[in-house]
Amino acid sequence: MANMAQAIRMALHYAETHLGVTDIFGEDVGAPLGGVFTCTQGLKTTWNSPLDERGIIGAAMGIAMGGGRPVAEIQFCDYVYNTIDLLKLAGNTCWSSNGDWNLPMVVRTPVGSGIRGSIYHSHSFDATMTHIPGWKVVMPSNPLDAYGLLISACKEQNPVMYLEPKALLRVKGEERIPGEPDDDRTLSKLIDAPLGDRSQWKPQWPEALEAFAVPIGKGKLVREGHQVTVVSYGRTLPLCARAAATLADEGISVEVIDLRSLWPYDWDMMKASIQKTGRVLFVNEDTEVTNFGEHLVRRTVDELFYSLLAPPRLLAGKFVPGIGLADTLEMASVPQQNDITTALRALAGEQP
């Protein structure tokens, strides 16, 4: 099975070949590196930008306004914060022009903890990004969804922020991408650049790749349950699934929802699940104050109050300025599997 970095690379290849993507660019995105996480190795429309995040976003906007279809990369989301005003402009372009101007651009950026990146390479961006209207925002938790969400993003006529959980970029999937070779080693030989001199290397893309698309705004029911619902995305989603499996051995039935799209999001799926279980825990690793999960808690209370058997809960990152370098500090700063298991166990035990 492909890992998430390979899935992103194959989706970008499909997009530049079949979906009209004209420019894939950012810091170290082009040859010889092909991205710090190798997500852009071997692609034909890549080029290297200066170390200038504002320039990257501004160039993407200009290319899109000029009739192109760019996919820009901010190398780590920690450095996208100085582009907020440009992201707001990109988000309001279609609205403020009364629909006369579309902006078909995708911005990719790795997010979150999990690589011991310390204070400059471990931030999250989902809470901030969902505060900017006019963008669609997605975050996959597995390679198949990474491929499908990126295919959908590259078809959109207005901006999409594609958040890549960096802790999962090297994790292989459990479902094969349509058109992916059956043998993992074959895939690696075809599309992974060799170490050392790459000047003569060219990828051999799988010819059977398909336009498999995950609809933006549609969640995924990962595990059915009837006592408590847990809603997550990105790095914490697999932790929630494993916590649910652990609690099943204790007789606690947990329903797991992968949100996949943060805007628009699948409220209908969440609503049906919460009405069934009466209890819900929202989990992500962004800081807990003004967290995206707080919005979901508020909407749950507003619309589903009389269906609840317990108050809705949020488990998120600690409200600290950054993620510590030491393993113990990183583990303590953001939710881990044991934290999720403990929170779900306690919530399942709450009674009206």
Side-chain angles (χ1 to χ4, degrees), residues 180-218:
E180 174 191 345
D182 292 336
D183 182 69
D184 296 354
R185 290 173 295 182
T186 299
L187 178 65
S188 180
K189 289 178 181 179
L190 289 174
I191 70 170
D192 289 344
L195 298 176
D197 182 20
R198 301 174 179 177
S199 59
Q200 303 302 313
W201 174 77
K202 293 185 182 297
Q204 296 176 289
W205 300 105
E207 295 181 0
L209 287 176
E210 301 176 13
F212 171 79
V214 172
I216 294 177
K218 181 64 177 174

PDB file of all heavy atoms in Angstrom, residues 180-218:
ATOM      1  N   GLU A 180      -3.044   1.838  -8.282  1.00  0.00           N
ATOM      2  CA  GLU A 180      -1.758   1.616  -7.607  1.00  0.00           C
ATOM      3  C   GLU A 180      -1.299   0.177  -7.821  1.00  0.00           C
ATOM      4  O   GLU A 180      -2.111  -0.752  -7.748  1.00  0.00           O
ATOM      5  CB  GLU A 180      -1.922   1.905  -6.109  1.00  0.00           C
ATOM      6  CG  GLU A 180      -0.727   1.586  -5.250  1.00  0.00           C
ATOM      7  CD  GLU A 180      -1.042   1.630  -3.761  1.00  0.00           C
ATOM      8  OE1 GLU A 180      -2.098   2.178  -3.382  1.00  0.00           O
ATOM      9  OE2 GLU A 180      -0.230   1.095  -2.987  1.00  0.00           O
ATOM     10  N   PRO A 181       0.004  -0.078  -8.079  1.00  0.00           N
ATOM     11  CA  PRO A 181       0.485  -1.453  -8.219  1.00  0.00           C
ATOM     12  C   PRO A 181       0.223  -2.285  -6.967  1.00  0.00           C
ATOM     13  O   PRO A 181       0.168  -1.750  -5.851  1.00  0.00           O
ATOM     14  CB  PRO A 181       1.992  -1.279  -8.451  1.00  0.00           C
ATOM     15  CG  PRO A 181       2.148   0.112  -8.949  1.00  0.00           C
ATOM     16  CD  PRO A 181       1.064   0.913  -8.304  1.00  0.00           C
ATOM     17  N   ASP A 182       0.048  -3.578  -7.160  1.00  0.00           N
ATOM     18  CA  ASP A 182      -0.243  -4.468  -6.032  1.00  0.00           C
ATOM     19  C   ASP A 182       0.944  -4.629  -5.091  1.00  0.00           C
ATOM     20  O   ASP A 182       0.761  -4.899  -3.904  1.00  0.00           O
ATOM     21  CB  ASP A 182      -0.676  -5.843  -6.544  1.00  0.00           C
ATOM     22  CG  ASP A 182      -2.029  -5.801  -7.246  1.00  0.00           C
ATOM     23  OD1 ASP A 182      -2.803  -4.877  -6.953  1.00  0.00           O
ATOM     24  OD2 ASP A 182      -2.289  -6.686  -8.083  1.00  0.00           O
ATOM     25  N   ASP A 183       2.143  -4.471  -5.609  1.00  0.00           N
ATOM     26  CA  ASP A 183       3.345  -4.705  -4.812  1.00  0.00           C
ATOM     27  C   ASP A 183       3.938  -3.366  -4.357  1.00  0.00           C
ATOM     28  O   ASP A 183       4.220  -2.490  -5.183  1.00  0.00           O
ATOM     29  CB  ASP A 183       4.385  -5.485  -5.633  1.00  0.00           C
ATOM     30  CG  ASP A 183       5.625  -5.793  -4.821  1.00  0.00           C
ATOM     31  OD1 ASP A 183       5.531  -6.612  -3.890  1.00  0.00           O
ATOM     32  OD2 ASP A 183       6.684  -5.206  -5.117  1.00  0.00           O
ATOM     33  N   ASP A 184       4.152  -3.205  -3.050  1.00  0.00           N
ATOM     34  CA  ASP A 184       4.663  -1.948  -2.510  1.00  0.00           C
ATOM     35  C   ASP A 184       6.055  -1.624  -3.035  1.00  0.00           C
ATOM     36  O   ASP A 184       6.374  -0.464  -3.317  1.00  0.00           O
ATOM     37  CB  ASP A 184       4.709  -2.018  -0.975  1.00  0.00           C
ATOM     38  CG  ASP A 184       3.326  -2.155  -0.368  1.00  0.00           C
ATOM     39  OD1 ASP A 184       2.335  -2.074  -1.115  1.00  0.00           O
ATOM     40  OD2 ASP A 184       3.239  -2.350   0.861  1.00  0.00           O
ATOM     41  N   ARG A 185       6.895  -2.649  -3.160  1.00  0.00           N
ATOM     42  CA  ARG A 185       8.259  -2.410  -3.633  1.00  0.00           C
ATOM     43  C   ARG A 185       8.262  -1.959  -5.097  1.00  0.00           C
ATOM     44  O   ARG A 185       9.089  -1.137  -5.496  1.00  0.00           O
ATOM     45  CB  ARG A 185       9.105  -3.670  -3.446  1.00  0.00           C
ATOM     46  CG  ARG A 185       9.411  -3.993  -1.982  1.00  0.00           C
ATOM     47  CD  ARG A 185      10.096  -5.318  -1.836  1.00  0.00           C
ATOM     48  NE  ARG A 185       9.230  -6.419  -2.252  1.00  0.00           N
ATOM     49  CZ  ARG A 185       9.584  -7.698  -2.195  1.00  0.00           C
ATOM     50  NH1 ARG A 185      10.788  -8.040  -1.771  1.00  0.00           N
ATOM     51  NH2 ARG A 185       8.740  -8.644  -2.581  1.00  0.00           N
ATOM     52  N   THR A 186       7.324  -2.465  -5.856  1.00  0.00           N
ATOM     53  CA  THR A 186       7.206  -2.024  -7.249  1.00  0.00           C
ATOM     54  C   THR A 186       6.849  -0.550  -7.309  1.00  0.00           C
ATOM     55  O   THR A 186       7.424   0.218  -8.092  1.00  0.00           O
ATOM     56  CB  THR A 186       6.146  -2.856  -7.996  1.00  0.00           C
ATOM     57  OG1 THR A 186       6.541  -4.228  -7.999  1.00  0.00           O
ATOM     58  CG2 THR A 186       5.968  -2.366  -9.422  1.00  0.00           C
ATOM     59  N   LEU A 187       5.900  -0.130  -6.480  1.00  0.00           N
ATOM     60  CA  LEU A 187       5.514   1.274  -6.454  1.00  0.00           C
ATOM     61  C   LEU A 187       6.700   2.159  -6.092  1.00  0.00           C
ATOM     62  O   LEU A 187       6.938   3.191  -6.726  1.00  0.00           O
ATOM     63  CB  LEU A 187       4.377   1.490  -5.449  1.00  0.00           C
ATOM     64  CG  LEU A 187       3.904   2.945  -5.304  1.00  0.00           C
ATOM     65  CD1 LEU A 187       3.276   3.438  -6.593  1.00  0.00           C
ATOM     66  CD2 LEU A 187       2.938   3.088  -4.134  1.00  0.00           C
ATOM     67  N   SER A 188       7.464   1.754  -5.087  1.00  0.00           N
ATOM     68  CA  SER A 188       8.613   2.537  -4.665  1.00  0.00           C
ATOM     69  C   SER A 188       9.637   2.670  -5.792  1.00  0.00           C
ATOM     70  O   SER A 188      10.175   3.762  -6.039  1.00  0.00           O
ATOM     71  CB  SER A 188       9.265   1.904  -3.438  1.00  0.00           C
ATOM     72  OG  SER A 188      10.383   2.654  -3.022  1.00  0.00           O
ATOM     73  N   LYS A 189       9.890   1.576  -6.488  1.00  0.00           N
ATOM     74  CA  LYS A 189      10.845   1.620  -7.594  1.00  0.00           C
ATOM     75  C   LYS A 189      10.357   2.518  -8.729  1.00  0.00           C
ATOM     76  O   LYS A 189      11.157   3.152  -9.422  1.00  0.00           O
ATOM     77  CB  LYS A 189      11.092   0.201  -8.123  1.00  0.00           C
ATOM     78  CG  LYS A 189      11.889  -0.681  -7.169  1.00  0.00           C
ATOM     79  CD  LYS A 189      12.055  -2.088  -7.747  1.00  0.00           C
ATOM     80  CE  LYS A 189      12.839  -2.973  -6.786  1.00  0.00           C
ATOM     81  NZ  LYS A 189      12.984  -4.352  -7.306  1.00  0.00           N
ATOM     82  N   LEU A 190       9.058   2.601  -8.893  1.00  0.00           N
ATOM     83  CA  LEU A 190       8.499   3.403  -9.982  1.00  0.00           C
ATOM     84  C   LEU A 190       8.535   4.900  -9.697  1.00  0.00           C
ATOM     85  O   LEU A 190       8.858   5.691 -10.583  1.00  0.00           O
ATOM     86  CB  LEU A 190       7.049   2.978 -10.250  1.00  0.00           C
ATOM     87  CG  LEU A 190       6.812   1.618 -10.893  1.00  0.00           C
ATOM     88  CD1 LEU A 190       5.315   1.316 -10.933  1.00  0.00           C
ATOM     89  CD2 LEU A 190       7.400   1.565 -12.297  1.00  0.00           C
ATOM     90  N   ILE A 191       8.207   5.297  -8.464  1.00  0.00           N
ATOM     91  CA  ILE A 191       7.958   6.726  -8.229  1.00  0.00           C
ATOM     92  C   ILE A 191       8.822   7.363  -7.149  1.00  0.00           C
ATOM     93  O   ILE A 191       8.764   8.585  -6.980  1.00  0.00           O
ATOM     94  CB  ILE A 191       6.474   6.984  -7.906  1.00  0.00           C
ATOM     95  CG1 ILE A 191       6.091   6.445  -6.529  1.00  0.00           C
ATOM     96  CG2 ILE A 191       5.570   6.405  -8.981  1.00  0.00           C
ATOM     97  CD1 ILE A 191       4.711   6.883  -6.070  1.00  0.00           C
ATOM     98  N   ASP A 192       9.610   6.591  -6.392  1.00  0.00           N
ATOM     99  CA  ASP A 192      10.468   7.178  -5.361  1.00  0.00           C
ATOM    100  C   ASP A 192      11.848   7.466  -5.937  1.00  0.00           C
ATOM    101  O   ASP A 192      12.508   6.563  -6.471  1.00  0.00           O
ATOM    102  CB  ASP A 192      10.610   6.229  -4.162  1.00  0.00           C
ATOM    103  CG  ASP A 192       9.328   6.115  -3.358  1.00  0.00           C
ATOM    104  OD1 ASP A 192       8.444   6.974  -3.529  1.00  0.00           O
ATOM    105  OD2 ASP A 192       9.209   5.164  -2.561  1.00  0.00           O
ATOM    106  N   ALA A 193      12.294   8.700  -5.816  1.00  0.00           N
ATOM    107  CA  ALA A 193      13.603   9.068  -6.334  1.00  0.00           C
ATOM    108  C   ALA A 193      14.700   8.368  -5.543  1.00  0.00           C
ATOM    109  O   ALA A 193      14.570   8.173  -4.331  1.00  0.00           O
ATOM    110  CB  ALA A 193      13.792  10.579  -6.260  1.00  0.00           C
ATOM    111  N   PRO A 194      15.788   7.980  -6.192  1.00  0.00           N
ATOM    112  CA  PRO A 194      16.891   7.321  -5.488  1.00  0.00           C
ATOM    113  C   PRO A 194      17.658   8.306  -4.625  1.00  0.00           C
ATOM    114  O   PRO A 194      17.599   9.527  -4.828  1.00  0.00           O
ATOM    115  CB  PRO A 194      17.767   6.798  -6.631  1.00  0.00           C
ATOM    116  CG  PRO A 194      17.510   7.766  -7.746  1.00  0.00           C
ATOM    117  CD  PRO A 194      16.068   8.156  -7.632  1.00  0.00           C
ATOM    118  N   LEU A 195      18.396   7.777  -3.668  1.00  0.00           N
ATOM    119  CA  LEU A 195      19.299   8.611  -2.895  1.00  0.00           C
ATOM    120  C   LEU A 195      20.489   8.991  -3.772  1.00  0.00           C
ATOM    121  O   LEU A 195      20.826   8.292  -4.726  1.00  0.00           O
ATOM    122  CB  LEU A 195      19.770   7.859  -1.651  1.00  0.00           C
ATOM    123  CG  LEU A 195      18.684   7.454  -0.655  1.00  0.00           C
ATOM    124  CD1 LEU A 195      19.281   6.623   0.479  1.00  0.00           C
ATOM    125  CD2 LEU A 195      17.967   8.679  -0.095  1.00  0.00           C
ATOM    126  N   GLY A 196      21.115  10.107  -3.447  1.00  0.00           N
ATOM    127  CA  GLY A 196      22.275  10.516  -4.225  1.00  0.00           C
ATOM    128  C   GLY A 196      21.890  11.281  -5.479  1.00  0.00           C
ATOM    129  O   GLY A 196      20.925  12.054  -5.493  1.00  0.00           O
ATOM    130  N   ASP A 197      22.638  11.043  -6.551  1.00  0.00           N
ATOM    131  CA  ASP A 197      22.441  11.771  -7.800  1.00  0.00           C
ATOM    132  C   ASP A 197      21.092  11.416  -8.437  1.00  0.00           C
ATOM    133  O   ASP A 197      20.806  10.255  -8.719  1.00  0.00           O
ATOM    134  CB  ASP A 197      23.577  11.432  -8.768  1.00  0.00           C
ATOM    135  CG  ASP A 197      23.449  12.207 -10.074  1.00  0.00           C
ATOM    136  OD1 ASP A 197      22.753  13.241 -10.087  1.00  0.00           O
ATOM    137  OD2 ASP A 197      24.035  11.770 -11.082  1.00  0.00           O
ATOM    138  N   ARG A 198      20.278  12.450  -8.671  1.00  0.00           N
ATOM    139  CA  ARG A 198      18.958  12.244  -9.266  1.00  0.00           C
ATOM    140  C   ARG A 198      18.838  12.926 -10.632  1.00  0.00           C
ATOM    141  O   ARG A 198      17.745  13.024 -11.176  1.00  0.00           O
ATOM    142  CB  ARG A 198      17.874  12.811  -8.343  1.00  0.00           C
ATOM    143  CG  ARG A 198      17.861  12.183  -6.958  1.00  0.00           C
ATOM    144  CD  ARG A 198      16.865  12.882  -6.065  1.00  0.00           C
ATOM    145  NE  ARG A 198      16.825  12.290  -4.742  1.00  0.00           N
ATOM    146  CZ  ARG A 198      16.082  12.749  -3.729  1.00  0.00           C
ATOM    147  NH1 ARG A 198      15.331  13.820  -3.916  1.00  0.00           N
ATOM    148  NH2 ARG A 198      16.106  12.149  -2.557  1.00  0.00           N
ATOM    149  N   SER A 199      19.952  13.401 -11.141  1.00  0.00           N
ATOM    150  CA  SER A 199      19.904  14.224 -12.343  1.00  0.00           C
ATOM    151  C   SER A 199      19.343  13.475 -13.547  1.00  0.00           C
ATOM    152  O   SER A 199      18.744  14.094 -14.440  1.00  0.00           O
ATOM    153  CB  SER A 199      21.296  14.768 -12.670  1.00  0.00           C
ATOM    154  OG  SER A 199      22.223  13.704 -12.864  1.00  0.00           O
ATOM    155  N   GLN A 200      19.519  12.159 -13.598  1.00  0.00           N
ATOM    156  CA  GLN A 200      19.039  11.381 -14.740  1.00  0.00           C
ATOM    157  C   GLN A 200      17.766  10.590 -14.426  1.00  0.00           C
ATOM    158  O   GLN A 200      17.245   9.884 -15.293  1.00  0.00           O
ATOM    159  CB  GLN A 200      20.137  10.409 -15.216  1.00  0.00           C
ATOM    160  CG  GLN A 200      21.445  11.087 -15.586  1.00  0.00           C
ATOM    161  CD  GLN A 200      21.266  12.121 -16.674  1.00  0.00           C
ATOM    162  OE1 GLN A 200      20.609  11.865 -17.686  1.00  0.00           O
ATOM    163  NE2 GLN A 200      21.865  13.309 -16.482  1.00  0.00           N
ATOM    164  N   TRP A 201      17.287  10.720 -13.174  1.00  0.00           N
ATOM    165  CA  TRP A 201      16.129   9.896 -12.767  1.00  0.00           C
ATOM    166  C   TRP A 201      14.833  10.488 -13.294  1.00  0.00           C
ATOM    167  O   TRP A 201      14.614  11.693 -13.278  1.00  0.00           O
ATOM    168  CB  TRP A 201      16.067   9.815 -11.246  1.00  0.00           C
ATOM    169  CG  TRP A 201      14.829   9.116 -10.751  1.00  0.00           C
ATOM    170  CD1 TRP A 201      14.584   7.782 -10.735  1.00  0.00           C
ATOM    171  CD2 TRP A 201      13.646   9.752 -10.209  1.00  0.00           C
ATOM    172  NE1 TRP A 201      13.334   7.528 -10.220  1.00  0.00           N
ATOM    173  CE2 TRP A 201      12.730   8.713  -9.895  1.00  0.00           C
ATOM    174  CE3 TRP A 201      13.276  11.075  -9.968  1.00  0.00           C
ATOM    175  CZ2 TRP A 201      11.482   8.969  -9.339  1.00  0.00           C
ATOM    176  CZ3 TRP A 201      12.038  11.328  -9.422  1.00  0.00           C
ATOM    177  CH2 TRP A 201      11.144  10.288  -9.112  1.00  0.00           C
ATOM    178  N   LYS A 202      13.962   9.606 -13.745  1.00  0.00           N
ATOM    179  CA  LYS A 202      12.609   9.984 -14.133  1.00  0.00           C
ATOM    180  C   LYS A 202      11.639   8.953 -13.564  1.00  0.00           C
ATOM    181  O   LYS A 202      11.893   7.753 -13.638  1.00  0.00           O
ATOM    182  CB  LYS A 202      12.458  10.046 -15.658  1.00  0.00           C
ATOM    183  CG  LYS A 202      13.252  11.165 -16.331  1.00  0.00           C
ATOM    184  CD  LYS A 202      12.953  11.230 -17.809  1.00  0.00           C
ATOM    185  CE  LYS A 202      13.780  12.311 -18.493  1.00  0.00           C
ATOM    186  NZ  LYS A 202      13.449  13.641 -17.967  1.00  0.00           N
ATOM    187  N   PRO A 203      10.526   9.393 -13.021  1.00  0.00           N
ATOM    188  CA  PRO A 203       9.556   8.447 -12.468  1.00  0.00           C
ATOM    189  C   PRO A 203       8.824   7.698 -13.575  1.00  0.00           C
ATOM    190  O   PRO A 203       8.730   8.183 -14.709  1.00  0.00           O
ATOM    191  CB  PRO A 203       8.589   9.341 -11.692  1.00  0.00           C
ATOM    192  CG  PRO A 203       8.648  10.644 -12.423  1.00  0.00           C
ATOM    193  CD  PRO A 203      10.067  10.790 -12.894  1.00  0.00           C
ATOM    194  N   GLN A 204       8.315   6.550 -13.234  1.00  0.00           N
ATOM    195  CA  GLN A 204       7.445   5.794 -14.131  1.00  0.00           C
ATOM    196  C   GLN A 204       6.083   5.679 -13.450  1.00  0.00           C
ATOM    197  O   GLN A 204       5.870   4.817 -12.610  1.00  0.00           O
ATOM    198  CB  GLN A 204       8.041   4.406 -14.402  1.00  0.00           C
ATOM    199  CG  GLN A 204       9.371   4.443 -15.127  1.00  0.00           C
ATOM    200  CD  GLN A 204       9.975   3.056 -15.283  1.00  0.00           C
ATOM    201  OE1 GLN A 204      10.436   2.438 -14.324  1.00  0.00           O
ATOM    202  NE2 GLN A 204       9.962   2.562 -16.507  1.00  0.00           N
ATOM    203  N   TRP A 205       5.209   6.572 -13.826  1.00  0.00           N
ATOM    204  CA  TRP A 205       3.927   6.664 -13.133  1.00  0.00           C
ATOM    205  C   TRP A 205       3.021   5.489 -13.495  1.00  0.00           C
ATOM    206  O   TRP A 205       2.974   5.082 -14.651  1.00  0.00           O
ATOM    207  CB  TRP A 205       3.223   7.970 -13.484  1.00  0.00           C
ATOM    208  CG  TRP A 205       4.017   9.170 -13.099  1.00  0.00           C
ATOM    209  CD1 TRP A 205       4.722   9.994 -13.930  1.00  0.00           C
ATOM    210  CD2 TRP A 205       4.216   9.676 -11.778  1.00  0.00           C
ATOM    211  NE1 TRP A 205       5.340  10.985 -13.212  1.00  0.00           N
ATOM    212  CE2 TRP A 205       5.041  10.816 -11.884  1.00  0.00           C
ATOM    213  CE3 TRP A 205       3.771   9.281 -10.510  1.00  0.00           C
ATOM    214  CZ2 TRP A 205       5.435  11.573 -10.777  1.00  0.00           C
ATOM    215  CZ3 TRP A 205       4.161  10.030  -9.413  1.00  0.00           C
ATOM    216  CH2 TRP A 205       4.977  11.154  -9.545  1.00  0.00           C
ATOM    217  N   PRO A 206       2.318   4.932 -12.513  1.00  0.00           N
ATOM    218  CA  PRO A 206       1.353   3.866 -12.814  1.00  0.00           C
ATOM    219  C   PRO A 206       0.337   4.353 -13.850  1.00  0.00           C
ATOM    220  O   PRO A 206      -0.281   5.407 -13.682  1.00  0.00           O
ATOM    221  CB  PRO A 206       0.685   3.595 -11.464  1.00  0.00           C
ATOM    222  CG  PRO A 206       1.680   4.066 -10.449  1.00  0.00           C
ATOM    223  CD  PRO A 206       2.381   5.231 -11.066  1.00  0.00           C
ATOM    224  N   GLU A 207       0.174   3.613 -14.912  1.00  0.00           N
ATOM    225  CA  GLU A 207      -0.694   4.050 -16.006  1.00  0.00           C
ATOM    226  C   GLU A 207      -2.171   3.927 -15.672  1.00  0.00           C
ATOM    227  O   GLU A 207      -3.012   4.548 -16.325  1.00  0.00           O
ATOM    228  CB  GLU A 207      -0.379   3.241 -17.267  1.00  0.00           C
ATOM    229  CG  GLU A 207       1.019   3.479 -17.816  1.00  0.00           C
ATOM    230  CD  GLU A 207       1.295   2.690 -19.075  1.00  0.00           C
ATOM    231  OE1 GLU A 207       0.377   1.952 -19.519  1.00  0.00           O
ATOM    232  OE2 GLU A 207       2.403   2.807 -19.615  1.00  0.00           O
ATOM    233  N   ALA A 208      -2.491   3.115 -14.669  1.00  0.00           N
ATOM    234  CA  ALA A 208      -3.900   2.852 -14.379  1.00  0.00           C
ATOM    235  C   ALA A 208      -4.501   3.771 -13.318  1.00  0.00           C
ATOM    236  O   ALA A 208      -5.623   3.540 -12.857  1.00  0.00           O
ATOM    237  CB  ALA A 208      -4.071   1.396 -13.942  1.00  0.00           C
ATOM    238  N   LEU A 209      -3.766   4.809 -12.906  1.00  0.00           N
ATOM    239  CA  LEU A 209      -4.313   5.713 -11.900  1.00  0.00           C
ATOM    240  C   LEU A 209      -5.623   6.317 -12.377  1.00  0.00           C
ATOM    241  O   LEU A 209      -5.790   6.646 -13.550  1.00  0.00           O
ATOM    242  CB  LEU A 209      -3.315   6.837 -11.600  1.00  0.00           C
ATOM    243  CG  LEU A 209      -2.073   6.449 -10.794  1.00  0.00           C
ATOM    244  CD1 LEU A 209      -1.142   7.651 -10.666  1.00  0.00           C
ATOM    245  CD2 LEU A 209      -2.444   5.917  -9.414  1.00  0.00           C
ATOM    246  N   GLU A 210      -6.561   6.470 -11.437  1.00  0.00           N
ATOM    247  CA  GLU A 210      -7.901   6.939 -11.774  1.00  0.00           C
ATOM    248  C   GLU A 210      -8.204   8.264 -11.075  1.00  0.00           C
ATOM    249  O   GLU A 210      -7.514   8.664 -10.139  1.00  0.00           O
ATOM    250  CB  GLU A 210      -8.937   5.897 -11.355  1.00  0.00           C
ATOM    251  CG  GLU A 210      -8.760   4.536 -11.998  1.00  0.00           C
ATOM    252  CD  GLU A 210      -9.753   3.513 -11.473  1.00  0.00           C
ATOM    253  OE1 GLU A 210     -10.723   3.929 -10.809  1.00  0.00           O
ATOM    254  OE2 GLU A 210      -9.549   2.315 -11.721  1.00  0.00           O
ATOM    255  N   ALA A 211      -9.261   8.904 -11.537  1.00  0.00           N
ATOM    256  CA  ALA A 211      -9.721  10.154 -10.929  1.00  0.00           C
ATOM    257  C   ALA A 211     -10.580   9.855  -9.708  1.00  0.00           C
ATOM    258  O   ALA A 211     -11.697  10.380  -9.568  1.00  0.00           O
ATOM    259  CB  ALA A 211     -10.486  10.981 -11.942  1.00  0.00           C
ATOM    260  N   PHE A 212     -10.068   9.002  -8.820  1.00  0.00           N
ATOM    261  CA  PHE A 212     -10.803   8.689  -7.587  1.00  0.00           C
ATOM    262  C   PHE A 212     -10.890   9.950  -6.738  1.00  0.00           C
ATOM    263  O   PHE A 212      -9.876  10.545  -6.376  1.00  0.00           O
ATOM    264  CB  PHE A 212     -10.093   7.578  -6.817  1.00  0.00           C
ATOM    265  CG  PHE A 212     -10.657   7.354  -5.438  1.00  0.00           C
ATOM    266  CD1 PHE A 212     -11.824   6.637  -5.271  1.00  0.00           C
ATOM    267  CD2 PHE A 212     -10.020   7.879  -4.321  1.00  0.00           C
ATOM    268  CE1 PHE A 212     -12.352   6.434  -3.993  1.00  0.00           C
ATOM    269  CE2 PHE A 212     -10.533   7.689  -3.050  1.00  0.00           C
ATOM    270  CZ  PHE A 212     -11.708   6.960  -2.895  1.00  0.00           C
ATOM    271  N   ALA A 213     -12.088  10.379  -6.422  1.00  0.00           N
ATOM    272  CA  ALA A 213     -12.281  11.634  -5.699  1.00  0.00           C
ATOM    273  C   ALA A 213     -13.112  11.406  -4.448  1.00  0.00           C
ATOM    274  O   ALA A 213     -14.117  10.689  -4.470  1.00  0.00           O
ATOM    275  CB  ALA A 213     -12.966  12.664  -6.596  1.00  0.00           C
ATOM    276  N   VAL A 214     -12.673  12.010  -3.348  1.00  0.00           N
ATOM    277  CA  VAL A 214     -13.460  12.044  -2.115  1.00  0.00           C
ATOM    278  C   VAL A 214     -14.200  13.376  -2.097  1.00  0.00           C
ATOM    279  O   VAL A 214     -13.565  14.441  -2.140  1.00  0.00           O
ATOM    280  CB  VAL A 214     -12.557  11.921  -0.874  1.00  0.00           C
ATOM    281  CG1 VAL A 214     -13.359  12.167   0.399  1.00  0.00           C
ATOM    282  CG2 VAL A 214     -11.895  10.544  -0.836  1.00  0.00           C
ATOM    283  N   PRO A 215     -15.520  13.371  -2.070  1.00  0.00           N
ATOM    284  CA  PRO A 215     -16.262  14.639  -2.103  1.00  0.00           C
ATOM    285  C   PRO A 215     -15.903  15.523  -0.915  1.00  0.00           C
ATOM    286  O   PRO A 215     -15.902  15.070   0.240  1.00  0.00           O
ATOM    287  CB  PRO A 215     -17.731  14.197  -2.037  1.00  0.00           C
ATOM    288  CG  PRO A 215     -17.731  12.766  -2.487  1.00  0.00           C
ATOM    289  CD  PRO A 215     -16.414  12.192  -2.038  1.00  0.00           C
ATOM    290  N   ILE A 216     -15.580  16.777  -1.177  1.00  0.00           N
ATOM    291  CA  ILE A 216     -15.308  17.716  -0.094  1.00  0.00           C
ATOM    292  C   ILE A 216     -16.616  18.013   0.633  1.00  0.00           C
ATOM    293  O   ILE A 216     -17.633  18.309   0.017  1.00  0.00           O
ATOM    294  CB  ILE A 216     -14.677  19.002  -0.653  1.00  0.00           C
ATOM    295  CG1 ILE A 216     -13.294  18.684  -1.228  1.00  0.00           C
ATOM    296  CG2 ILE A 216     -14.570  20.073   0.428  1.00  0.00           C
ATOM    297  CD1 ILE A 216     -12.605  19.866  -1.878  1.00  0.00           C
ATOM    298  N   GLY A 217     -16.582  17.886   1.940  1.00  0.00           N
ATOM    299  CA  GLY A 217     -17.787  18.080   2.746  1.00  0.00           C
ATOM    300  C   GLY A 217     -18.439  16.800   3.201  1.00  0.00           C
ATOM    301  O   GLY A 217     -19.441  16.833   3.915  1.00  0.00           O
ATOM    302  N   LYS A 218     -17.849  15.656   2.842  1.00  0.00           N
ATOM    303  CA  LYS A 218     -18.429  14.363   3.197  1.00  0.00           C
ATOM    304  C   LYS A 218     -17.503  13.644   4.178  1.00  0.00           C
ATOM    305  O   LYS A 218     -16.348  13.375   3.876  1.00  0.00           O
ATOM    306  CB  LYS A 218     -18.628  13.512   1.938  1.00  0.00           C
ATOM    307  CG  LYS A 218     -19.263  12.151   2.202  1.00  0.00           C
ATOM    308  CD  LYS A 218     -20.680  12.284   2.732  1.00  0.00           C
ATOM    309  CE  LYS A 218     -21.327  10.912   2.916  1.00  0.00           C
ATOM    310  NZ  LYS A 218     -22.655  11.025   3.574  1.00  0.00           N
TER     311      LYS A 218
END
